[in-house]
Amino acid sequence: QVQLVESGGGLAQAGGSLRLTCVMSGKISGINGMGWYRQAPGKERELVSSITTSERSFDTASTKGRFTLERDSAKNTMYLQMNDLKPEDTAVYYCSADRLDTLRPKDYWGQGTQVTVSS
């Protein structure tokens, strides 16, 4: 089993930055895909960024160039650096991990962290 705990959400102004953190614990060695999703009120959950141990990656078009997924294997931690935030980035952000080498991880989920961007 794998546990994921997110932190770092909060309130930011448009143009500002936030850094989300996802700490992983448990059977980390079996994880081959990981990433960040978000869900805005009234909308479906959306994949934001993801990576695999085979070094494939994905970034959704609306955040490309503004958001960066980083991984610190030594700390079993994944980050989402979010720059130039926009009001439309307001959502609950979830980190996810998968045993498969997939860019759409879904086996394990964190509890979510709220990001609110004011204009």
Side-chain angles (χ1 to χ4, degrees):
Q1 193 72 324
V2 174
Q3 296 78 41
L4 308 176
V5 178
E6 302 113 333
S7 61
L11 178 65
Q13 291 188 334
S17 298
L18 285 173
R19 183 177 175 87
L20 305 183
T21 298
C22 176
V23 179
M24 307 181 199
S25 60
K27 294 186 177 181
I28 304 300
S29 60
I31 297 301
N32 290 291
M34 62 195 75
W36 291 92
Y37 291 78
R38 67 184 181 185
Q39 187 165 19
K43 294 188 177 181
E44 293 186 353
R45 190 169 295 189
E46 171 191 26
L47 177 64
V48 177
S49 296
S50 59
I51 57 173
T52 70
T53 53
S54 61
E55 300 185 354
R56 295 183 297 137
S57 65
F58 169 84
D59 296 290
T60 195
S62 61
T63 62
K64 192 170 293 186
R66 299 188 297 121
F67 291 10
T68 302
L69 188 158
E70 301 168 353
R71 181 188 180 192
D72 187 333
S73 299
K75 296 182 178 180
N76 292 329
T77 301
M78 178 174 62
Y79 306 94
L80 186 67
Q81 178 66 44
M82 305 186 295
N83 299 326
D84 190 22
L85 284 163
K86 302 178 180 182
E88 51 263 42
D89 295 321
T90 295
V92 178
Y93 284 71
Y94 300 89
C95 64
S96 181
D98 204 292
R99 291 162 291 178
L100 296 178
D101 185 285
T102 176
L103 287 171
R104 299 194 68 85
K106 64 181 182 300
D107 280 348
Y108 306 103
W109 294 89
Q111 80 284 1
T113 185
Q114 176 72 46
V115 171
T116 303
V117 183
S118 62
S119 58

